[in-house]
């Protein structure tokens, strides 16, 4: 008998793109504007009143490439430490290998939004001060602590229909239409 050697072909070569680690890698949706929100930012964005010590959210505007923050800082909240004519210096915490580092980055004003993270605290301080003033004038003590919301009280649900009678619903008996 004649045995022929089977020639094994090499495995198919995949022509994938090389893995990229660029500064904007994997930002397809992050650096994309929403539907009907494309175009340049409003002029009011450039007149944003920002002072040192303010809390700001870093939110990259993809239509402005200058002064754009790295993708890691997109959506982060930081504190302003420097204000220049076209950019803002922001202190942001970054988690690196089990420790938190304070990073200082400069970001253009187009990529900044005033943060609402202090809104609840400031409103609570105002209401607490008003309550303390009223308590001082009234001469009683007031509890300013935040308490968890208690469960709702139980109640009886009114019967459906209004008259209180129970309605029984049954299917119609089968009738052959042939």
């Amino acid at each position: 008998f004649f045995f022929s050697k089977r020639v094994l072909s090499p495995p198919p070569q995949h022509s994938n793109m090389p893995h990229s680690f660029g500064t904007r890698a994997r930002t397809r949706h992050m650096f994309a504007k929403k539907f009907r929100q494309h175009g340049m930012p409003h002029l009011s964005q450039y007149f944003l009143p920002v002072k040192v010590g303010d809390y700001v959210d870093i939110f990259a505007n993809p239509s402005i490439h200058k002064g754009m923050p790295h993708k890691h800082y997109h959506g982060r909240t930081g504190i302003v430490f420097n204000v220049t004519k076209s950019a803002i210096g922001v202190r942001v915490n970054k988690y690196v290998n089990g420790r938190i580092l304070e990073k200082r980055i400069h970001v253009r004003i187009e990529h900044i939004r005033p943060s609402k993270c202090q809104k609840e605290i400031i409103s609570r301080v105002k209401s607490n001060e008003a309550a303390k003033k009223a308590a001082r004038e009234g001469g009683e003590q007031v509890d300013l602590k935040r308490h968890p919301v208690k469960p709702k009280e139980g109640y009886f649900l009114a019967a459906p229909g209004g008259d209180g009678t129970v309605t029984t619903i049954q299917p119609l008996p089968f009738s052959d239409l042939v």
Side-chain angles (χ1 to χ4, degrees):
F1 294 102
F2 179 75
F3 293 104
S4 65
K5 284 187 176 178
R6 279 182 56 195
V7 179
L8 295 175
S9 61
Q13 296 293 321
H14 296 291
S15 61
N16 289 345
M17 299 284 289
H19 193 56
S20 70
F21 292 99
T23 54
R24 289 185 66 155
R26 292 171 289 282
T27 59
R28 176 181 181 177
H29 300 293
M30 186 188 293
F31 289 164
K33 288 206 161 186
K34 290 188 169 62
F35 178 60
R36 294 180 67 183
Q37 300 294 318
H38 298 273
M40 292 292 118
H42 300 294
L43 287 179
S44 60
Q45 178 69 33
Y46 294 96
F47 297 115
L48 199 67
V50 181
K51 299 186 295 294
V52 174
D54 285 355
Y55 281 82
V56 292
D57 294 333
I58 299 169
F59 202 89
N61 189 343
S63 60
I64 307 292
H65 298 162
K66 272 191 169 184
M68 185 185 271
H70 189 265
K71 64 191 173 192
H72 176 271
Y73 301 107
H74 181 80
R76 307 278 171 158
T77 303
I79 303 170
V80 175
F81 75 89
N82 187 21
V83 179
T84 65
K85 70 180 176 67
S86 59
I88 305 294
V90 185
R91 294 182 304 153
V92 191
N93 288 338
K94 185 177 183 181
Y95 185 81
V96 181
N97 291 338
R99 63 199 194 278
I100 297 174
L101 302 177
E102 183 192 76
K103 307 284 278 188
R104 288 171 169 247
I105 60 170
H106 278 82
V107 181
R108 275 201 163 210
I109 193 76
E110 296 96 322
H111 310 291
I112 291 291
R113 291 179 184 176
S115 182
K116 296 176 183 170
C117 65
Q118 295 277 297
K119 205 174 192 175
E120 196 268 337
I121 296 169
I122 291 168
S123 67
R124 199 160 51 84
V125 167
K126 283 182 183 174
S127 65
N128 284 358
E129 291 301 320
K132 277 197 269 187
K133 187 176 180 184
R136 256 187 255 117
E137 291 167 357
E140 75 258 355
Q141 290 223 338
V142 64
D143 184 21
L144 300 175
K145 291 183 179 177
R146 291 176 289 174
H147 297 289
V149 179
K150 294 186 175 78
K152 293 179 184 176
E153 290 289 327
Y155 61 94
F156 289 101
L157 191 64
D163 56 351
T165 58
V166 178
T167 308
T168 307
I169 301 173
Q170 289 181 336
L172 292 170
F174 177 74
S175 61
D176 199 3
L177 299 174
V178 179

